Amino acid sequence: MTRSGGEAWVGGLETMVHRKWATAWLAAFGLALAGCSQPADESAEEATPPAQTFEWTLVTTWPKNLPALGTAPEKLAVLVREMSAGRLSIKVYGDGELVPAFGVFDAVSAGNAEMGHGAAYYWRGKLPVAALFTTVPFGMTAQEMNAWLHYGGGLELWQELYAPFNLVPMAAGNSGVQMAGWFNHEINDVTDMQGLKMRMPGLGGAVIDGLGAAAVTMPGSEIFTSLQTGVIDATEWVGPYNDLAFGLHEAGTYYYYPGWHEPGAMLEAIVNKEAYDSLPPDLRAILVTATRAVNQDTLDEFTARNNAALTTLVREHNVQLRRLPDDVLARLREGSEAVLEGVATDEISRRILDSYRTFHDEVQSYHAISEQAYINARTATGPNAGTTDEAG
Ligand code: CA
């Protein structure tokens, strides 16, 4: 399934890629389109390099082939193999197949695997500011995160942050706005959060701790059983597409929105620095290009699939869809600012936080009169007969 889907997708990409565009943004990574940058008569005079091949291992924090999260690195492997005519082959391992989910960072850092795919906020125990490269409560959306990364200096800061760990990071997917999570009682005011043992990684977990909840971080593979057996009282995971795949509706009753804690969770690809440097320039360009393509593709998949999954949850599984009350959201927003300030534990963390905040402020100002104004106008003037209204 992955192969045929990936091939169709690769074909679309080939018609899409425009050389001038590709050259311009590859330059941002210090790369060139190898073999394409010389006129044909000059390149013909160059010696043909030996067809060196590379076989890489990629470990992930996701269950094998989980929709979107788990299939993103599989698509990346297909794309890289096709683009490189088999010169760079990547074998993908799911959570626990080679290393446990939360061992991915260390495994790639040590060179036990050439690549990893996961989310930077899983590493905030050792690098608090890393959470900013996944998502920030009440922070930037997927569109805005991609802009900060690729046109606002975010990627360069991320590379600097990971350099001491021998890692090269790249954006490699985005969930878009997530859901606030699954509960077995209604959340009517902030007191309903108190004492709640809830799975919530990243800075959002620190925010609910401040409201008297007890945030727990666990990989996706452990969530369903933990909720069903009462090890946790509530959980967030991603959104309808992934939550339906996990069967979370069988363990939770109330499904809350909006995902204030993850307004656009960016996934990361990490590459061991020596492995990255060992690639010839054309394979490096292929890897970077393919990862950037998968970054967008994953968001497209979530956007396309979430509403159908939500409809299934509500209509076939009688899930109770709820919006978090405004006063609860207000308290969560207040708590988020203090938590965000807490990541500035050293000089580079301060620079990253300042960059994030500055970009967020600026993009939010413009989006107030563009994206936000448009969506408000569309909702006010057009038909809005989505699942949310019917079920909410
Ligand atoms: Ca999540």
Side-chain angles (χ1 to χ4, degrees), residues 94-224:
D95 170 14
E97 290 191 304
L98 283 185
V99 296
F102 293 164
V104 165
F105 186 96
D106 289 341
V108 181
S109 177
N112 296 330
E114 286 83 5
M115 275 193 86
H117 189 267
Y121 65 9
Y122 290 143
W123 326 127
R124 78 180 183 97
K126 69 177 80 194
L127 277 176
V129 78
L132 270 61
F133 295 101
T134 305
T135 191
V136 169
F138 300 98
M140 290 194 273
T141 64
Q143 183 178 343
E144 295 164 351
M145 276 293 286
N146 281 324
W148 177 54
L149 255 283
H150 300 126
Y151 287 88
L155 182 61
E156 289 78 6
L157 288 166
W158 197 11
Q159 290 167 339
E160 185 181 345
L161 181 72
Y162 276 17
F165 299 91
N166 210 30
L167 294 171
V168 179
M170 289 178 266
N174 200 302
S175 66
V177 179
Q178 300 199 357
M179 291 290 285
W182 296 87
F183 299 81
N184 279 312
H185 63 256
E186 290 189 79
I187 303 296
N188 294 315
D189 59 56
V190 287
T191 61
D192 293 320
M193 297 289 292
Q194 288 169 6
L196 204 65
K197 196 170 179 185
M198 181 170 186
R199 185 270 181 185
M200 184 174 280
L203 300 177
V207 174
I208 64 168
D209 279 346
L211 292 187
V216 179
T217 297
M218 63 175 64
S221 57
E222 297 174 18
I223 292 175
F224 177 82

Side-chain angles (χ1 to χ4, degrees), residues 346-358:
D346 57 14
E347 188 270 337
I348 184 171
S349 301
R350 168 53 61 189
R351 279 192 285 125
I352 291 169
L353 179 58
D354 288 348
S355 172
Y356 183 98
R357 278 178 165 156
T358 300

Side-chain angles (χ1 to χ4, degrees), residues 121 178-179 199 201 236-238 261-262 265:
Y121 65 9
Q178 300 199 357
M179 291 290 285
R199 185 270 181 185
E236 69 81 60
W237 173 223
V238 182
H261 64 303
E262 300 203 41

